[in-house]
Amino acid sequence: MSSTSISSRFLFSSLSSIVRGAINFVTVILIARWLNIDDYGRMMFLLASFLAFKQLLDMSSGQAFFTFISERPRSKKFISIYWLWVLIQLLFSILILGFILPDSLVETLWVDEDRLLILLALLATFSQNIVWPVASGMAESQRETIKVQKIAVLITFMHLIVVCLLWVLGKLALPALLIAILIEWGLGSFYAIKLYKNYQKESSLKITDNETIMSILGEFWKYCAPLIPYSWMAFFYVFADRWMLQHWGGSSEQAYYSLARQFGVITLLATSSILRIFWKEIAEAYYQKNTEKVKRLYKSISQALYAIGALCVGALVPWAKEILELFVGVEYTGGSMVLILMLIYTVHQSMGQIGASMLYATKETKLQTMIGMTFMTVSLFTAYLMMAPVDSSILPGLGLASEGLALKMVILQIIEVNILAWFISRKFGWKYDWAYQLVILGVVLIAGFLIKNVVQILEIKVVASMIIFSFIYIILSALLIYYKPSFIGLNSKELRRFTSLIIARISSTKT
């Protein structure tokens, strides 16, 4: 079994994502329990604000870079110029935040946080969300998925160890956590970059040696120009959501929302596993005009990822309050409705990520900009109405804090991803399918609540009830997939082949 085949890479990526997700889940739970709820909310607000700031600086150049190196091998000059651009982004950010912005504006934007702590959050986010994606993308463009996933698992495990050590030593605080993130992902990026060097020996495509600085910049400009307004709007959209929540709801509401998003990551493990693989294969197939492969990958992967995410949601939503109380404590149970909404949100988020990757990989950036700008504009206004105080002198809102933000995310996400899917289908001449979303999500949620009600008849402790529920739910899900593989977008032949691949991978691991 080739380590560069799509099936093998997806399988290994999925398994490693499960391991990484489990480790990260434990880490998040420990941090949420060991920090008080306000400090946890502050940390998540800082990280989210700079994740938004990334959009302002990057201007979709990261998507362009990965698309270009996925299409064909690129020269050292091309790679070096892009890394110079990354360095410029970092230096510019430090200059603005460290020296140019006045104290009054910093205190307003980051709600009275210390400037040094803000700079640490910037560096940590830059390391994890700009440097690592570029470095791992370079390796992924050569189908080095397995090695990249091993590095990612090691980083995640190392972070768990560091968090535990800090707690044991009595040093678990925001500055120490941010420094740890900075160093961990920086080291991981260093090793991921080194995986790019052997690609031209294995590729049948030739590197273009006559590139000039102007031709490289022109290539990026052609790709990114339509996306620059979108990227800047994305910054205001993401930052405004989290700022309004922090300003009107406070750190505890920020903690409810942030923790719900962290739990939601569980349902996105399969999507995160295949996203870069999907992007790479679509970019290369589209560049080679293999439209049949593009259609087959998009259709099968979209429904499969939606179904997998929905199956996770069907298991988690019925137990939302119990999960929060069990894992992070009673003080977080006020966010149980937020958790339910954000779990449902992540099911459709997988569709959005696949759709966006499809457009980026095929260079349909104008379409991405048009749809994204429209919905971000609507979202900003909707977020204000959901979270603004009912007695606001400017324009009264509903004062729903984190629940309002989560409800907004769910409603607009469902509408946006379906419009995106419709445009993609129309662009490439495919039939637009939407009914499977209602069927799949409806089936798993009804099944989840029914099984919970049956289990609770036993009147046993919560943990025991959850274990029995999980056993029954997994068995029924497996039977559903076995007898009706179309539920996850596969036919019987594809299901047998994928099952054989899993068995082969497990067997090779044992030997």
Side-chain angles (χ1 to χ4, degrees), residues 328-342:
V328 288
V330 178
E331 61 181 340
Y332 284 92
T333 55
S336 56
M337 180 54 67
V338 182
L339 177 57
I340 290 172
L341 290 170
M342 291 310 296

Side-chain angles (χ1 to χ4, degrees), residues 44-54 110 235 239 242:
M44 299 312 294
F45 170 63
L46 286 170
L47 294 177
S49 68
F50 285 110
L51 194 57
F53 193 58
K54 168 198 169 186
W110 283 279
F235 160 71
F239 186 85
R242 302 304 284 264

Side-chain angles (χ1 to χ4, degrees), residues 50 53 90 93-94 97 117-127:
F50 285 110
F53 193 58
L90 176 60
S93 303
I94 293 173
L97 292 173
L117 188 65
I118 295 170
L119 282 170
L120 281 176
L122 163 68
L123 294 174
T125 307
F126 199 91
S127 178

Side-chain angles (χ1 to χ4, degrees), residues 182-310:
L182 166 64
I183 295 174
E184 291 157 4
W185 290 102
L187 288 173
S189 300
F190 172 77
Y191 287 105
I193 291 170
K194 298 173 70 174
L195 298 175
Y196 190 76
K197 62 184 179 181
N198 293 324
Y199 183 59
Q200 51 186 310
K201 296 179 182 179
E202 301 175 3
S203 176
S204 59
L205 300 171
K206 302 299 181 184
I207 290 179
T208 302
D209 293 320
N210 58 352
E211 291 179 317
T212 65
I213 293 177
M214 293 309 297
S215 69
I216 292 171
L217 294 179
E219 191 175 3
F220 272 96
W221 176 254
K222 182 179 179 181
Y223 185 102
C224 296
L227 288 169
I228 291 176
Y230 173 80
S231 299
W232 289 350
M233 187 66 179
F235 160 71
F236 289 109
Y237 157 70
V238 176
F239 186 85
D241 273 2
R242 302 304 284 264
W243 184 86
M244 284 187 282
L245 181 58
Q246 187 75 10
H247 182 68
W248 287 319
S251 296
S252 59
E253 292 289 334
Q254 190 80 239
Y256 292 156
Y257 181 77
S258 298
L259 191 64
R261 293 205 68 144
Q262 292 292 323
F263 273 97
V265 170
I266 297 172
T267 69
L268 289 172
L269 286 177
T271 303
S272 61
S273 300
I274 201 171
L275 204 59
R276 283 296 180 96
I277 300 172
F278 172 80
W279 192 332
K280 156 65 183 174
E281 299 301 329
I282 291 291
E284 185 174 276
Y286 186 75
Y287 181 75
Q288 297 174 353
K289 297 181 171 54
N290 189 347
T291 54
E292 185 58 35
K293 181 178 179 180
V294 171
K295 177 181 179 180
R296 175 170 50 83
L297 285 173
Y298 175 76
K299 287 281 190 178
S300 60
I301 289 175
S302 294
Q303 183 172 339
L305 292 178
Y306 183 89
I308 293 170

